Amino acid sequence: MTSRGLALAALVSLTGCADEAPTFACPQPLEDAITQAALVAHMEALADLAQADAGTRAATTPGYAASLGYVEGALRDAGYVVTRDAFEYTDYELLSVPVVEVVAPAPRALVPGVDFLSARFSGSGDVTAPVAAVDLALGPDNASTSACEPADFDGFPAGAIALIQRGSCAFATKEALAAEAGASAIVMFNQGNTEARVDLFTPRLDPVATLPVVGVSYGLGVELADALSEGLELRVEVEGRSVTSRSENLLADAPGAADDGVIVVGAHLDSVPAGPGINDNGSGTAAVLELAVQAGQCTLQQPVRFAFWGAEELGLIGSASYVRGLSDEGLAALALYLNLDMIASPNFGRFLYDGDGSTYGDAGPPGSAAIEAALASYYAERGLPTLEVPFDGRSDYGPFIALGVPAGGIFTGAETVKTAEIAAIFGGAADAPYDACYHRECDDRGNYDARELHVNARAVAHVVEAYALGRAPLPGDDAASPTTRAANAGRWTAAVAAHAGCADDER
């Protein structure tokens, strides 16, 4: 008998007969307890906190600290003992204000934070040199592969500043190839293929790059490209260094009768520096928080852990720190992980992680197919269509599947353009991003679909209730031992490592 079974048997023996076993129930169905008004109230609160801190809730900012305080307060008011799970990570700081100047043909100084931003983990240097373009692909709907292959640098003049376009491959790949080709610095401009890839942006590199790197908007990139024929020369100066930073996850447990079979439901709490992060990921935060508030009134068979992850936008750092810190016994106690990241996109699709591999070929760890099926069944019974999205490592489920923990969740789309075929399924605008404000300043209180947020929060509540009250078998039972999970881990570790940082939009 498992420890879960022993715990239940012990409870029965205290009463003397099975008929008097504890009743696992909620005052009302959890999905009915989740109201749209409560979800919207959480979203508004997070928007207010961001607004009070220059429009951001990014890791290490006062906006993030205030968000932690808001969630912690709501959980304590609901009767939870809340744990702040601290972690350290390598961060980056500028030692001086970066400089970009047009030296020729028409001298002018660009304004930091308005015209350009230094890359996170940019190398340091002060370079004045001519500019050379690297395999640019201008125009709408372009499929830029600029600086993704060594051949893109054929004929590149050593010592020049590389003008590179975003797209296709990782920023770090572009920087490494440029350094190998003899570039002295990089000006990287946004891709310009969609509305979501037009604005000023911050490239994210691996610690620490060789070259000084800055990011600019698509429009400025085109302007610089047009000036190449006139002998464009720039000065680029960046001075920065790696530092150790500290942040926190927030964890709260709804206890169950069993001592294993823990159901973890999580969402990342931080935003990108560029915006308030209300769809990404205030939406997931609001759903997990309100689910916790309502689940606190239930008598559960299985324990449920509610997790609010820090520094996700910097590369899944908070969730990875949590998973690495688990003992073998702690890992074995996890039955499943449910991830909520962007569940209210304005031009939404309704996507479930491809747990069974039926669409994208690679199934999740054993048990993931059952999670997908449970969610899909909920929507199907209500006449709501769903499609699948791959486990590509772009959110906090990545560290869990890397260790073989069954996982699933809901996602409503980010910067990718919704096709006409998908618009015919879900409605909304074809040939437009699911979320045109993804990782932008405009991801604010008006940038989410409140009805879709409510629909998806109810779906998760329904599935969590079924597992937590013992109405459905836990999907992790066939993969619970550390030995079994270790055997699966290699398959997932490589996939997650390949995409680490994609949550910060590294391509």
Side-chain angles (χ1 to χ4, degrees), residues 134-135 137 143-149 152 165-169 174:
V134 181
D135 190 29
S144 169
T145 61
S146 172
C148 290
E149 301 290 340
D152 294 343
Q165 186 176 5
R166 181 183 188 177
S168 184
C169 63
K174 296 174 186 285

Side-chain angles (χ1 to χ4, degrees), residues 266-268 309 312 316 319-320 323 337-341 353-354 364-365 368 389-411 492 495-496 499 502:
H268 75 84
W309 308 117
E312 187 268 0
L316 318 182
S319 55
V323 170
Y337 175 66
L338 281 170
N339 191 66
L340 302 182
D341 188 356
Y353 293 114
D354 187 15
S368 301
V389 67
F391 277 123
D392 61 5
R394 286 191 66 170
S395 193
D396 289 301
Y397 60 80
F400 287 87
I401 66 174
L403 292 179
V405 178
I410 302 165
F411 172 62
W492 299 104
V496 173
H499 292 279
C502 284

Side-chain angles (χ1 to χ4, degrees), residues 424-460:
I425 296 170
F426 297 111
D431 302 319
Y434 295 101
D435 183 355
C437 291
Y438 173 68
H439 283 191
R440 297 170 67 184
E441 182 180 358
C442 56
D443 185 11
D444 207 338
R445 66 183 79 240
N447 187 55
Y448 69 97
D449 187 307
R451 180 182 177 278
E452 186 64 12
L453 172 61
H454 190 212
V455 167
N456 293 326
R458 284 171 60 91
V460 171

Side-chain angles (χ1 to χ4, degrees), residues 36-54:
Q36 185 169 310
L39 295 168
V40 169
H42 295 317
M43 299 285 269
E44 288 292 325
L46 293 172
D48 288 344
L49 295 174
Q51 185 175 333
D53 182 33

Side-chain angles (χ1 to χ4, degrees), residues 76-145:
R76 290 194 188 282
D77 288 346
Y80 285 90
V81 175
V82 184
T83 300
R84 290 198 173 208
D85 175 38
F87 57 89
E88 291 185 343
Y89 60 98
T90 301
D91 207 347
Y92 180 78
E93 69 175 6
L94 290 170
L95 300 176
S96 61
V97 178
V99 174
V100 177
E101 296 174 347
V102 178
V103 177
R108 64 186 174 109
L110 302 186
V111 180
V114 176
D115 298 316
F116 74 94
L117 292 166
S118 61
R120 189 165 180 266
F121 295 112
S122 170
S124 296
D126 186 349
V127 175
T128 300
V131 178
V134 181
D135 190 29
L136 306 183
L138 305 182
D141 301 320
N142 69 75
S144 169
T145 61

